[in-house]
Amino acid sequence: MPYASDAYAAFCAQAEQRGHLRRLNARLDHSARLLDFSHNDYLGFAHHPQLIHAAQRAAQRYGVGATGSRLLSGDSLLAHALERRIARSKQAPRALVFSSGYTLNTGVIAALLDRRVLKDEPAVFCDRLVHASFYHAFATAGVHPQRYHHNDLDHLASLLAASQARKCTRFIFTESVFGMDGDCAPIDELRSLARRYDALLYIDEAHATGLHGPEGSGLASGVVQDGGIAMGTFSKALGGSGAYLACNEGIASFLLQRCGSLIYSTAAAPATLASALTAWRLLPHYGNVRRATLERATQLRAQLRELGFDVGKSTTHILPLIFSNLERALTVHAHLAEHGIRTSLIRPPTVPPNAIRLRLAISANHDDSAIAALVSALRAFQ
Ligand SMILES: Cc1ncc(COP(=O)(O)O)c(C=O)c1O
């Protein structure tokens, strides 16, 4: 056994001791009667017959894989049709699709921050609660971000003002709907700050896409009109996998030259693109479903607060039940599981040690009886 294995074993033993060891946990068979609040399939599209049909047809017609990166054999008319559709609904000059949100963020952000291209050391500001993929990209680019307090515009403004002491490019990174907290970034104010300080604003719409904004297209289309970037995924409300970026032509052209995850990775499979295109075409017809889902989340939030739970600053379909210690979170998690209710237990380092949470995501498939069952099980902790 190589020596390195001892270090990995010691690392895992330590994580286990702290109660933070991550394990894979295969989902039960879909036929099992389990009430599931842990997934990101916010519109129930993962099993939508039209999406399944589109994926099947695409696989039959074009095969199961793209067979190469987009710059070699893997580009397709499907990808172009999807990009045109997304660009239209985001009111963006251009969209680009990728095989996952993680590879999009890590590849695109690292390319944007490349010092050899910028010819300076960029000043990077990010909301401290952004997704891990941002931090992985900053590390790849060798950049130390200045993390502003969550959604705190005064803090961000003071950091931006301080950065004016030197001439440099500036970037602001945030999510529009925060995936672990369920609150929203103040996009208009961020746009003003970005304009004032000549910063490129980059917004991750992974958890907004499909459910928020005009026809579910997200909250940040104005950002693109200002010259910024909005990305989102097909892996949450659209029920599949893959991701998109909306931007101007200049940025898209640059990414085709420099973005590693676009250039050196096999393109998204035809079935993935076809189901995403079908999902995007369905979105305008889901206004009532979106409204009902968000309304149900609002009612649940009020009920959870009445029961004495801390749901943080959530205003969307994502509701965290926040606990100051792991034991309590484990107890509630296990109790819900005993009642056939599945939730995600989110531990450090994904969230701070004093804000361990059960993440509840409300989907269009959760009817009143599902919400009532959840509330009833949680009454045990009132
Ligand atoms: C905010 C955010 N961005 C990006 C991603 C990555 O997306 P994907 O799962 O498509 O790789 C996630 C996934 O959890 C996310 O929550």
Side-chain angles (χ1 to χ4, degrees), residues 40 42 99-105 129-134 174-180 204-207 231-236 240-243 359:
N40 295 324
Y42 306 136
S99 53
S100 88
Y102 182 85
T103 54
L104 189 158
N105 275 345
L129 296 189
V130 291
H131 188 254
S133 50
F134 287 73
T174 186
E175 298 181 26
S176 59
V177 170
F178 283 85
M180 289 295 151
D204 181 326
E205 302 237 70
H207 298 278
M231 65 77 68
T233 65
F234 311 136
S235 55
K236 319 261 184 253
S241 65
R359 179 181 181 275

Side-chain angles (χ1 to χ4, degrees), residues 29-45:
D29 186 295
H30 283 300
S31 59
R33 292 189 59 75
L34 191 76
L35 202 44
D36 195 346
F37 289 93
S38 72
H39 61 70
N40 295 324
D41 183 19
Y42 306 136
L43 288 172
F45 275 10

Side-chain angles (χ1 to χ4, degrees), residues 145-378:
Q146 300 186 52
R147 304 191 321 152
Y148 59 91
H149 304 318
H150 179 49
N151 277 343
D152 185 337
L153 294 167
D154 291 338
H155 189 209
L156 172 59
S158 68
L159 294 174
L160 282 162
S163 79
Q164 283 190 305
R166 77 182 167 93
K167 191 173 171 314
C168 61
T169 47
R170 291 182 188 79
F171 294 82
I172 302 170
F173 293 92
T174 186
E175 298 181 26
S176 59
V177 170
F178 283 85
M180 289 295 151
D181 289 73
D183 55 351
C184 297
I187 303 224
D188 289 343
E189 291 81 353
L190 286 167
R191 282 175 66 189
S192 302
L193 278 178
R195 269 191 237 116
R196 174 147 28 117
Y197 291 96
D198 222 359
L200 192 153
L201 180 57
Y202 183 108
I203 308 243
D204 181 326
E205 302 237 70
H207 298 278
T209 302
L211 216 51
H212 296 269
E215 298 188 339
S217 64
L219 298 164
S221 56
V223 170
V224 179
Q225 285 145 30
D226 292 347
I229 296 177
M231 65 77 68
T233 65
F234 311 136
S235 55
K236 319 261 184 253
L238 304 197
S241 65
Y244 69 87
L245 178 89
C247 61
N248 62 33
E249 293 285 357
I251 290 174
S253 175
F254 167 69
L255 292 173
L256 287 173
Q257 320 311 313
R258 296 292 295 179
C259 174
S261 57
L262 191 63
I263 301 168
Y264 302 112
S265 181
T266 299
T272 298
L273 298 172
S275 60
L277 181 56
T278 305
W280 213 283
R281 285 179 177 150
L282 287 176
L283 286 180
H285 309 289
Y286 271 65
N288 288 340
V289 174
R290 271 193 288 280
R291 268 187 295 281
T293 306
L294 295 176
E295 177 57 28
R296 216 166 260 135
T298 302
Q299 286 163 7
L300 174 60
R301 199 162 27 246
Q303 286 172 294
L304 293 173
R305 285 200 172 115
E306 257 176 52
L307 293 180
F309 284 100
D310 177 2
V311 292
K313 295 196 169 140
S314 158
T315 54
T316 65
H317 58 293
I318 297 167
L319 289 93
L321 294 184
I322 301 173
F323 300 94
S324 55
N325 69 71
L326 181 62
E327 288 67 37
R328 178 87 171 151
L330 283 169
T331 307
V332 178
H333 186 243
H335 174 83
L336 291 175
E338 276 160 26
H339 284 73
I341 297 173
R342 186 180 171 115
T343 56
S344 298
L345 176 59
I346 314 289
R347 306 161 193 249
T350 307
V351 290
N354 62 351
I356 292 165
R357 64 201 58 197
L358 298 189
R359 179 181 181 275
L360 305 173
I362 307 308
S363 117
N365 286 343
H366 294 128
D367 57 13
D368 288 340
S369 69
I371 303 290
L374 173 66
V375 171
S376 157
L378 285 171

